Amino acid sequence: MTAVTDEDQGKGRGKKMKGEGAAPADGDGRGRKDGRWDDGLIARRAAAAEAREAGEPAPGTPDEDDPEPQVEAYVPSGGPLPPRLDALRELVGLSRARLDRDTLAEAGRVLDEAAARQRLSSRHTVIAIAGATGSGKSTLFNALAGAPISDTGLRRPTTSQPIACSWTDGAAGLLDRLAVPGRLRRRPHPGPAASDEALQGLVLVDLPDHDSAATEHRDQVDRVLALVDAVIWVVDPEKYADAALHERYLRPLAGHAEVTFVVLNQTDRLPGEAADLVLDDLRRLLDEDGIALGEHGEPGATVTSLSALTGDGVPELRELVGRFVQDRTAATRRLSADVDAAAARLRPVYVAEGRPGLGERAREEFTDRLAEAVGAAAAGQAAEREWRRNAGRACGTPWLRLWRWYENRGLPGSLDRMGQALTPPEEELTARQRVEQAVRIVADDAADGLPGPWAQAVREAAFNGAEGLSEALDELAVKAGVPASGAAGRGGGTAGAQGISGTPLGGRAAKPPRPKWWPAAVLAQVSMTLLQIFGGLWLVGQIIGVLEPGLVTPALIMLAGVVGGPLVEWSCAAAIRGPARRYGQDAERRLREAAAGCGRARVLDPVAAELVRYREVRERYVTVTEFSTTGR
């Protein structure tokens, strides 16, 4: 049978209809009709012209100007493939900002090829015949087509480009996708093979040798194998265990077992039971490759033996292929297997070990570390001391207050200055370093068990949020009213009189509130002081003779003032102990909550957002793999 022109098969027009009469093929594979060559488009156009001159309808030749499309659009089934493709598309979209292009390349290719296949005919099943040099794949191709369409011979390689044979119209789009030129597109020769109802819809493609010495031949094989719906691998008794076949093709395509046929050809060369032994060994090798075998009703690869040269076993293979074609699910199963393969490659970047996330304990520990870095406990203690100091100033005796003023008037040797200058020498980490350490620890806790790219994204979110966190904590400390006298305790004593970022603290410190009973205590203390003064003046008056002598009464009055002043002060100190402690605890709580809120907004929330994104893509990945047909 000679080649058909590009205009004919490339556009899917002018094809021979089923049942059209023709003379059987002669020895060289070309047909005659009424003594003339029937070599395709030219002969049919001539026959149509003669019929029009005779006033008869053209014999089985469709009108070239017929606007009716010959390609039936792909109709997606209601199975799991459409939602899996949608989930894979969403998965790729959500992951573009986190994964590199090479990681997502295979999934993107599967989505593109699935979209391209679904736009084409669903009535056709494209099956490629692949094999090594001398395996007899072209002979098997001709045997299935019923005519010597593909050249065979001793010259190697015999097949240099893909050759296609389509049993029905409407396959032009599929062949365009495979880049099969119009001159290499054929129709089966009229006869039993062409009229076989089971093969209607079959598009058979003969590929070049996958082990050809010509690099372009191997490239064509790889390109077409990625696009066809199914593959018939033809092996011979000499090369069925070839490592190139198993390692480069069969093993990587183990997940495509349901759309794979493995045919042991040239069994006529094996004596006795040798064919069965070789076939059993072939099954063993396929099992080692991870290819499920379709035996005992289980889904998997079809393995059979035949001799394409003698025809032994060819009818059985034609029957198997016919049932496979009429099932009309090859394209869906091929796409589903492609999705499985893409999902298997993506598994390391989506599947985590354990259950990653931020628990309450990790959040509390982060808050504790920030509170320690900002000096919340020291600020609370300083606030408590400030309360007591103010109470002592208000309720203390004038003489004791005068002494304290002398000590605290700011001399270089004063106790307060010495206390502010002292810092624990064993303290090594600064407050800023403690903030960085807190962020590092919480980032590691959140990223623990995550796949590499998502763990990196979580750490980046935490570290980006930590920029400026120290300065923000300083501002919060000032707004929270950290007392100036307590600045020496910030950061566990490491920050000195300054904050985490080196900013002086306490400039805007709020004064503790005064209890309502303080005026009464002050009045009592003033009364005790007046008693001391009154008693003292009375005694002085008696000594200088201004007043009548009588030491008992003025001494008792003066003693009452001297004893009553400290007693009032001690009573006030006991009374303010509880309120001072509560005031310090409240100051610590406010600073702790402010630090926790700042850390949550800058670090925890971005980290949580990354974890939510990971959970979203993980859910999409589960949808992609949930209805796997290959068990991957």
Side-chain angles (χ1 to χ4, degrees), residues 404-543:
R404 288 174 178 170
W405 170 82
Y406 174 77
E407 287 185 337
N408 299 329
R409 61 181 177 173
L411 295 177
S414 64
L415 296 179
D416 280 2
R417 288 298 182 98
M418 292 176 61
Q420 291 182 6
L422 292 176
T423 56
E426 68 276 3
E427 202 64 55
E428 296 181 358
L429 293 176
T430 65
R432 179 183 292 273
Q433 290 173 329
R434 293 189 180 188
V435 173
E436 295 175 353
Q437 184 185 29
V439 173
R440 188 181 304 109
I441 292 175
V442 76
D444 291 341
D445 289 342
D448 184 31
L450 283 175
W454 300 99
Q456 181 65 23
V458 166
R459 291 190 176 93
E460 289 180 357
F463 296 149
N464 291 337
E467 295 179 359
L469 179 59
S470 299
E471 291 77 4
L473 291 176
D474 279 346
E475 294 178 3
L476 290 175
V478 174
K479 292 179 180 179
V482 178
S485 60
R490 281 181 58 82
T494 61
Q498 305 208 343
I500 297 175
S501 62
T503 304
L505 296 176
R508 297 170 52 190
K511 293 183 178 181
R514 301 171 68 90
K516 295 180 179 180
W517 51 266
W518 276 16
V522 172
L523 181 60
Q525 195 66 266
V526 171
S527 300
M528 296 299 105
T529 303
L530 292 176
L531 287 178
Q532 295 178 41
I533 295 174
F534 179 73
L537 293 176
W538 193 346
L539 289 175
V540 172
Q542 290 181 355
I543 293 173

Side-chain angles (χ1 to χ4, degrees), residues 182-536:
R183 61 185 176 82
L184 297 179
R185 302 180 185 184
R186 305 286 192 271
R187 294 294 297 274
H189 200 278
S195 60
D196 190 345
E197 291 291 337
L199 298 181
Q200 301 307 305
L202 172 63
V203 179
L204 200 62
V205 181
D206 185 19
L207 297 180
D209 302 331
H210 70 76
D211 59 350
S212 173
T215 305
E216 60 272 15
H217 293 180
R218 298 196 301 270
D219 293 341
Q220 290 188 54
V221 172
D222 295 342
R223 178 182 58 81
V224 175
L225 286 179
L227 302 176
V228 296
D229 300 330
V231 183
I232 298 177
W233 288 100
V234 181
V235 298
D236 60 79
E238 295 179 356
K239 295 184 179 181
Y240 73 92
D242 185 17
L245 170 65
H246 289 267
E247 295 178 3
R248 185 175 180 184
Y249 295 103
L250 294 180
R251 196 168 300 162
L253 295 176
H256 296 69
E258 293 187 21
V259 291
T260 300
F261 294 79
V262 182
V263 176
L264 175 63
N265 192 19
Q266 302 177 8
T267 56
D268 55 299
R269 297 170 50 192
L270 299 174
E273 298 180 355
D276 293 335
L277 296 177
V278 173
L279 190 62
D280 290 341
D281 193 48
L282 175 60
R283 289 193 177 97
R284 178 188 62 81
L285 293 175
L286 295 176
D287 184 68
E288 292 179 356
D289 291 334
I291 298 178
L293 303 182
E295 299 176 344
H296 311 294
E298 295 293 330
T302 300
V303 183
T304 186
S305 60
L306 52 79
S307 174
L309 185 63
T310 64
D312 184 26
V314 174
E316 289 78 4
L317 177 62
R318 183 181 290 111
E319 182 180 355
L320 292 173
V321 172
R323 288 201 299 266
F324 183 80
V325 170
Q326 294 305 312
D327 192 40
R328 297 288 192 269
T329 61
T332 299
R333 284 191 275 179
R334 169 60 195 259
L335 293 177
S336 183
D338 288 343
V339 172
D340 291 340
R345 291 188 179 95
L346 292 175
R347 180 179 177 84
V349 298
Y350 288 117
V351 178
E353 301 175 359
R355 301 180 62 182
L358 270 181
E360 288 299 324
R361 182 175 180 180
R363 292 174 179 270
E364 292 177 359
E365 291 178 352
F366 178 66
T367 301
D368 293 339
R369 293 187 181 95
L370 287 187
E372 182 182 0
V374 81
Q381 296 172 4
E384 182 178 352
R385 289 194 301 268
E386 186 71 11
W387 178 286
R388 292 185 177 182
R389 185 178 294 108
N390 290 342
R393 291 171 180 170
C395 304
T397 63
W399 325 116
L400 184 59
R401 292 170 61 184
L402 183 61
W403 173 255
R404 288 174 178 170
W405 170 82
Y406 174 77
E407 287 185 337
N408 299 329
R409 61 181 177 173
L411 295 177
S414 64
L415 296 179
D416 280 2
R417 288 298 182 98
M418 292 176 61
Q420 291 182 6
L422 292 176
T423 56
E426 68 276 3
E427 202 64 55
E428 296 181 358
L429 293 176
T430 65
R432 179 183 292 273
Q433 290 173 329
R434 293 189 180 188
V435 173
E436 295 175 353
Q437 184 185 29
V439 173
R440 188 181 304 109
I441 292 175
V442 76
D444 291 341
D445 289 342
D448 184 31
L450 283 175
W454 300 99
Q456 181 65 23
V458 166
R459 291 190 176 93
E460 289 180 357
F463 296 149
N464 291 337
E467 295 179 359
L469 179 59
S470 299
E471 291 77 4
L473 291 176
D474 279 346
E475 294 178 3
L476 290 175
V478 174
K479 292 179 180 179
V482 178
S485 60
R490 281 181 58 82
T494 61
Q498 305 208 343
I500 297 175
S501 62
T503 304
L505 296 176
R508 297 170 52 190
K511 293 183 178 181
R514 301 171 68 90
K516 295 180 179 180
W517 51 266
W518 276 16
V522 172
L523 181 60
Q525 195 66 266
V526 171
S527 300
M528 296 299 105
T529 303
L530 292 176
L531 287 178
Q532 295 178 41
I533 295 174
F534 179 73

